[in-house]
Amino acid sequence: QLRKSKDSLIEECLEPLDKEQIHIICQNILTLLKESICDINVEAEYIFAAAIIVQELIKKFPCNSDVEEFITLLGDNLLKFNDKNLYVQNFCCTVLEKYWLLDVKKKEHLASYVPAFLIAKIISSVGKVHDIERLYNVREMFQVIDFDVPSADGLLDLLQHLPSNPLIYKTHFGIELVQFLMTLNESLMLHIDNAIKSHIPSLQTTALNYIGKMYAKTLQDIRSSPLEKQFHVQCIRDLIDCAIHCHRQGPYKSSPQLYKVWFSKIRLRQ
């Protein structure tokens, strides 16, 4: 509640200021952040103030040089703070998401931070269905990421937990997001496919039904593309084999029903 009060207060203070006055405030905050050595909680307060200012700036001057500098600052610090400052992280991330959706240049670097934060939040104990929609809305960030370089390994590790997360199957944004990821390139398609198959024994029947639809729609979307043959050989055939031979855990019995659910969805498009 205190954070929200500060948010409103800063917005009210910024409202009557012109571009030059806001620029002076921005430079003062940047100086504090760059020159002072402070503990992480104090630094979080500065970052929080910067995020609120950026939120106001992008409404008035989205292409302002101060905005670009602050956006870089927020991105560089997004994954830095501990759980105690989750509110600050989440607020910064929402500002970066808003900036990404603007028609501005020099924003590709945000793909290095925003997806990782949102996925980590989704698969954590504090993840919410709305976070799935947030990630879906900035899904084009995944198109500017090179998943074949070592720096992307951390993001790939996070992505492998998405297919087993119950939140994914509670909204059509989740289904469409995973499906979208599978159509981007071969390495990501196979990575997501392997993650799905590794979680088959523990998924509920509802999730399995959605996965069947997801694979069928993915096949439809990549029809006549270079990915189609690989998807048939490495994903669908292996998926059906997995459905037939896997042993379900917990209260869910094994595979005849699982096979029927998937095969009925996939065969219509083969």
Side-chain angles (χ1 to χ4, degrees):
Q1 190 63 38
L2 181 59
R3 295 271 189 194
K4 293 179 180 178
S5 299
K6 290 181 180 179
D7 186 336
S8 301
L9 179 60
I10 294 177
E11 287 181 9
E12 290 174 7
C13 292
L14 289 174
E15 183 61 33
L17 301 182
D18 60 26
K19 187 175 181 179
E20 183 59 33
Q21 290 170 319
I22 292 178
H23 172 71
I24 293 172
I25 294 174
C26 290
Q27 292 306 308
N28 287 338
I29 292 179
L30 286 169
T31 300
L32 285 170
L33 282 167
K34 291 176 180 178
E35 295 183 357
S36 63
I37 300 175
C38 52
D39 66 61
I40 196 165
N41 293 318
V42 175
E43 189 173 358
E45 292 295 330
Y46 287 136
I47 296 294
F48 181 63
I52 298 172
I53 290 173
V54 171
Q55 182 174 247
E56 290 302 301
L57 276 176
I58 62 178
K59 296 176 185 176
K60 300 177 179 180
F61 321 110
C63 296
N64 185 282
S65 59
D66 287 322
V67 172
E68 294 179 2
E69 194 167 3
F70 269 86
I71 287 295
T72 300
L73 176 72
L74 297 183
D76 290 344
N77 286 277
L78 183 61
L79 305 177
K80 177 178 181 178
F81 301 113
N82 52 36
D83 292 343
K84 185 178 179 180
N85 294 297
L86 180 59
Y87 181 89
V88 174
Q89 285 181 295
N90 195 57
F91 184 81
C92 290
C93 191
T94 59
V95 174
L96 296 176
E97 292 163 45
K98 290 176 183 177
Y99 188 75
W100 174 267
L101 295 174
L102 294 175
D103 184 19
V104 294
K105 299 178 180 179
K106 299 181 181 178
K107 60 182 182 180
E108 288 76 12
H109 64 284
L110 298 183
S112 302
Y113 314 107
V114 174
F117 172 78
L118 287 175
I119 295 171
K121 187 171 185 289
I122 288 166
I123 64 178
S124 74
S125 59
V126 297
K128 295 180 173 58
V129 172
H130 176 62
D131 296 322
I132 302 288
E133 182 177 353
R134 289 170 61 189
L135 185 58
Y136 177 81
N137 288 338
V138 296
R139 64 193 179 281
E140 291 181 357
M141 286 187 178
F142 291 104
Q143 294 177 317
V144 301
I145 298 172
D146 185 355
F147 285 98
D148 294 321
V149 298
S151 60
D153 289 348
L155 183 58
L156 284 171
D157 289 341
L158 288 171
L159 280 170
Q160 72 178 357
H161 296 287
L162 275 183
S164 64
N165 192 282
L167 294 179
I168 288 290
Y169 307 103
K170 291 184 178 180
T171 169
H172 69 92
F173 292 110
I175 308 298
E176 293 177 17
L177 173 65
V178 176
Q179 176 194 320
F180 170 79
L181 292 171
M182 294 184 73
T183 64
L184 290 183
N185 58 63
E186 182 178 326
S187 61
L188 190 55
M189 177 185 74
L190 295 177
H191 189 84
I192 297 293
D193 174 65
N194 288 332
I196 289 173
K197 288 167 185 170
S198 69
H199 293 301
I200 283 175
S202 59
L203 290 175
Q204 298 186 15
T205 303
T206 302
L208 295 173
N209 187 43
Y210 282 128
I211 288 173
K213 294 177 181 178
M214 184 193 307
Y215 273 71
K217 183 64 166 60
T218 300
L219 179 59
Q220 184 180 36
D221 289 346
I222 63 173
R223 185 77 71 184
S224 301
S225 80
L227 292 176
E228 182 181 7
K229 181 177 180 180
Q230 189 76 351
F231 189 68
H232 267 292
V233 175
Q234 296 292 327
C235 301
I236 288 189
R237 291 180 186 176
D238 192 45
L239 177 70
I240 294 175
D241 184 66
C242 186
I244 295 173
H245 297 294
C246 79
H247 297 287
R248 307 297 309 283
Q249 295 176 348
Y252 306 103
K253 303 248 171 145
S254 79
S255 48
Q257 181 60 34
L258 176 60
Y259 172 77
K260 286 168 61 178
V261 168
W262 282 344
F263 188 69
S264 65
K265 302 296 180 186
I266 293 172
R267 66 178 178 178
L268 298 177
R269 294 178 172 85
Q270 294 221 50

